[in-house]
Amino acid sequence: MGRKPLTETNAGGFYWPAFPLFLWGIGVVFHVWDYYAPAGPAESRIQREMRRLERR
């Protein structure tokens, strides 16, 4: 009765490493989004919003 590798399922056949892998994947997605997303709104969008607020 030796140690089981972490990738084995338990007695019920449930693959438990799916949860940490899924959550890690969500973190990777958010890091990629943060890296490639623009840092802030474009100057044209700021100007357009300022004009819209002046018309109120």
Side-chain angles (χ1 to χ4, degrees), residues 1-53:
M1 189 170 256
R3 284 182 109 179
K4 289 183 175 182
L6 291 177
T7 56
E8 272 192 41
T9 59
N10 63 5
F14 182 74
Y15 183 69
W16 67 267
F19 286 113
L21 286 172
F22 176 71
L23 296 173
W24 177 77
I26 290 174
V28 169
V29 167
F30 278 112
H31 281 286
V32 169
W33 182 3
D34 186 43
Y35 183 79
Y36 286 109
E43 185 65 28
S44 60
R45 292 189 68 180
I46 294 171
Q47 294 298 326
R48 184 174 59 200
E49 182 67 14
M50 288 174 62
R51 284 192 304 272
R52 186 184 74 81
L53 292 173

